[in-house]
């Protein structure tokens, strides 16, 4: 669990770095859409981890930077609370949920948390590419930069 907690501390740090870059550049378009998607996905998975129905939550929904900042904070607090609950965050615990198409699945908490962390890093890379293509310096969000 220490590794997973570190991954989520990195996730929060990297999300905040991306948010700052988007705010400084007053960026929108694809970069903002990808960031909103990343945050919405984090919320969907947290909802599933909590044993709640995620069917009404968006995965792709365009949002402004203020909304993203608020959702980022809510997600950070929600995951911190979840990870502090040892029985709930047991990596071996199986979570039953339905995906966005209504198909039922069962997945371990450890696999879901790993997915969330990797999914976000994938999209932060895409966001950095969008920034670079717009003439804006990408943000260093590599894990090694976080731990240094």
């Amino acid at each position: 669990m220490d590794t997973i907690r570190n991954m989520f501390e990195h996730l929060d740090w990297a999300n905040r770095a991306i948010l700052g870059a988007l705010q400084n550049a007053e960026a929108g378009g694809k970069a903002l859409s990808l960031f909103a998607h990343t945050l919405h996905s984090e919320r969907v998975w947290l909802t599933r981890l909590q044993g709640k129905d995620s069917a009404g939550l968006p995965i792709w929904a365009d949002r402004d930077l203020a909304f993203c900042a608020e959702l980022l904070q809510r997600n950070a607090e929600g995951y911190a609370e979840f990870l502090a609950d040892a029985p709930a965050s047991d990596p071996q615990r199986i979570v039953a949920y339905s995906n966005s198409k209504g198909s039922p699945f069962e997945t371990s908490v450890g696999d879901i948390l790993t997915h969330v962390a990797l999914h976000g890093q994938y999209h932060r890379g895409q966001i950095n590419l969008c920034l670079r293509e717009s003439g804006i310096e990408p943000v260093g969000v590599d894990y090694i930069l976080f731990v240094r």
Side-chain angles (χ1 to χ4, degrees), residues 64-82:
D64 62 19
L65 286 168
F67 181 90
C68 287
E70 180 183 316
L71 185 54
L72 185 157
Q73 186 61 36
R74 286 179 39 224
N75 287 348
E77 291 168 2
Y79 276 102
E81 183 178 314
F82 178 79

Side-chain angles (χ1 to χ4, degrees), residues 9-126:
E9 288 174 16
H10 169 258
L11 177 151
D12 182 52
W13 172 84
N15 277 348
R16 290 178 193 282
I18 290 290
L19 176 64
L22 294 174
Q23 289 170 328
N24 289 339
E26 297 178 7
K30 186 172 183 174
L32 181 54
S33 179
L34 287 166
F35 191 53
H37 164 70
T38 301
L39 298 172
H40 281 301
S41 296
E42 289 173 11
R43 174 56 50 180
V44 165
W45 282 110
L46 179 59
T47 300
R48 292 172 180 167
L49 286 165
Q50 293 168 331
K52 301 174 187 172
D53 182 15
S54 64
L57 298 176
I59 295 174
W60 287 99
D62 288 335
R63 303 294 186 187
D64 62 19
L65 286 168
F67 181 90
C68 287
E70 180 183 316
L71 185 54
L72 185 157
Q73 186 61 36
R74 286 179 39 224
N75 287 348
E77 291 168 2
Y79 276 102
E81 183 178 314
F82 178 79
L83 290 169
D85 182 342
S89 65
D90 175 357
Q92 302 305 315
R93 184 174 68 86
I94 299 299
V95 176
Y97 62 93
S98 294
N99 69 5
S100 60
K101 295 179 182 176
S103 300
F105 291 94
E106 291 185 353
T107 308
S108 73
V109 167
D111 285 342
I112 290 171
L113 292 172
T114 301
H115 167 75
V116 172
L118 294 174
H119 177 259
Q121 195 63 356
Y122 170 77
H123 285 305
R124 285 186 291 275
Q126 290 180 309

